[in-house]
Amino acid sequence: MTIRPAIRSDEDAIWSIFHTVIARGDTYVFDAQMPREEALGYWLHPGTHTYVAESDGQVVGTYILKPNQPALGSHVANAAFMVLPTARGSGVGRRMGEHCLAEARRLGFRAMQFNFVVSTNEVAVRLWQQLGFQIVGTLPGAFRHSQLGFVDAYVMFRMLQSN
Amino acid sequence: MTIRPAIRSDEDAIWSIFHTVIARGDTYVFDAQMPREEALGYWLHPGTHTYVAESDGQVVGTYILKPNQPALGSHVANAAFMVLPTARGSGVGRRMGEHCLAEARRLGFRAMQFNFVVSTNEVAVRLWQQLGFQIVGTLPGAFRHSQLGFVDAYVMFRMLQSN
């Protein structure tokens, strides 16, 4: 598996993953009907670092890395990850997570924060805990899950530098 | 004191408050050099409800109210408040906070979340606690305070409906 910065010709593959993931309504807040151009405009926004994970020539995952806040909060990174459903369970998320932490350190971020990890997405919660994140906040009923109704979301955080 | 939706002719007053508040670097993440058009574009964004507090014909405060997330998270409101420094301590923030909670209920929001309350902004933290908000998360060192360096920020939350 190779992880590399996304290029223009990855757009079809990214949209395919993005659309499939948000259509489930179980992990991301985005409207399942979000148009392609809006989705790609968000995922490939200027100032956002966008990466893809490639396996046997196929894009099987994608992630973004950016400051979570402007100016006086820009030392804390934010990231988001999507894996092609058919590639789940093969370590794509973990590999991207490790890559993302290394990239964030390389870019000089002091910490990383996830603003909205759906509590019922247990695979993701466990993965981020294994990669050093802690649940630092719980948002009661903040996510309207397509199957389960209102469920909690977590704020997760980890430092990247010791000082 | 009157609190009402902002209109176009309030822009000068809003910018004056906004600019003065962010220049201090003690409560908001925005760059102190943020240009007027960018600031007004944010504060008066389509989909954002913008209000001003007027006292003796002068705008002494302003706040915004909007969904904190799109689609599957849009039932939780987010809000931000700014008070003219010379009007501090006169209850403008509290009046706007109470007005905001009433507006959020009227608009059908189920809860309200503040994503980034600077921990050293004790007046704000205390006010939101008095208005029913709880600290549901702590973001370690997430704010680079102009005087104090890296300080924590809080995520604060309150339900608006019992069901």
Side-chain angles (χ1 to χ4, degrees), chain A residues 25-26 28-31 69-73 75-76 110-111 113 115-116 136-146 150 155 157 159, chain B residues 25-26 28-31 69-76 110-111 113 115-116 136-144 146 150 155 157 159:
Chain A
D26 57 359
Y28 277 88
V29 290
F30 303 117
D31 187 333
Q69 298 282 352
L72 302 183
H75 54 287
V76 179
R110 293 173 54 93
Q113 179 178 335
N115 300 307
F116 205 93
V136 297
T138 299
L139 312 172
F143 183 67
R144 186 162 56 81
H145 191 291
S146 62
F150 294 107
V155 180
F157 195 97
M159 300 303 294
Chain B
D26 57 0
Y28 277 89
V29 291
F30 302 117
D31 187 334
Q69 298 283 352
L72 301 185
S74 63
H75 54 288
V76 178
R110 292 173 56 93
Q113 180 178 334
N115 300 307
F116 205 93
V136 296
T138 299
L139 312 172
F143 183 66
R144 185 162 57 81
S146 62
F150 295 106
V155 180
F157 196 96
M159 301 304 294

Side-chain angles (χ1 to χ4, degrees), chain B residues 9-18 36 52 59 62 84:
Chain B
S9 59
D10 295 318
E11 286 189 353
D12 284 351
I14 291 173
W15 166 241
S16 177
I17 295 172
F18 192 101
R36 173 188 162 115
V52 294
V59 173
T62 179
L84 192 68

Side-chain angles (χ1 to χ4, degrees), chain A residues 1-3 52-55 60-63 81-100 123 127-128 130-131:
Chain A
M1 190 186 307
T2 308
I3 299 175
V52 293
E54 211 168 25
S55 180
V60 292
T62 179
Y63 82 86
F81 300 79
M82 290 189 180
V83 175
L84 192 67
T86 55
R88 285 194 186 161
S90 60
V92 180
R94 179 181 300 269
R95 287 285 299 278
M96 290 198 299
E98 290 165 347
H99 188 275
C100 178
V123 171
L127 173 58
W128 302 135
Q130 287 170 355
L131 291 183

Side-chain angles (χ1 to χ4, degrees), chain A residues 4 12 17-18 20 27 43 57 60 62 70 78 85 90-91 102 106-107 113 115 127 138 140 152 162-163:
Chain A
R4 58 166 176 79
D12 284 351
I17 295 172
F18 191 102
T20 309
T27 53
W43 204 255
V60 292
T62 179
N78 173 246
S90 60
R106 186 181 68 79
L107 293 166
Q113 179 178 335
N115 300 307
L127 173 58
T138 299
D152 296 350
S162 52
N163 58 326

Side-chain angles (χ1 to χ4, degrees), chain A residues 35-36 53 132:
Chain A
R36 174 188 162 117

Side-chain angles (χ1 to χ4, degrees), chain B residues 98-147:
Chain B
E98 290 166 346
H99 189 274
C100 179
L101 288 169
E103 283 293 278
R105 283 198 187 89
R106 187 182 66 81
L107 293 165
F109 288 108
R110 292 173 56 93
M112 190 177 295
Q113 180 178 334
F114 302 141
N115 300 307
F116 205 93
V117 180
V118 175
S119 61
T120 52
N121 187 4
E122 292 171 15
V123 172
V125 173
R126 198 174 326 122
L127 173 59
W128 302 135
Q129 287 174 328
Q130 287 170 356
L131 291 183
F133 287 82
Q134 290 186 307
I135 295 172
V136 296
T138 299
L139 312 172
F143 183 66
R144 185 162 57 81
H145 191 290
S146 62
Q147 306 294 319

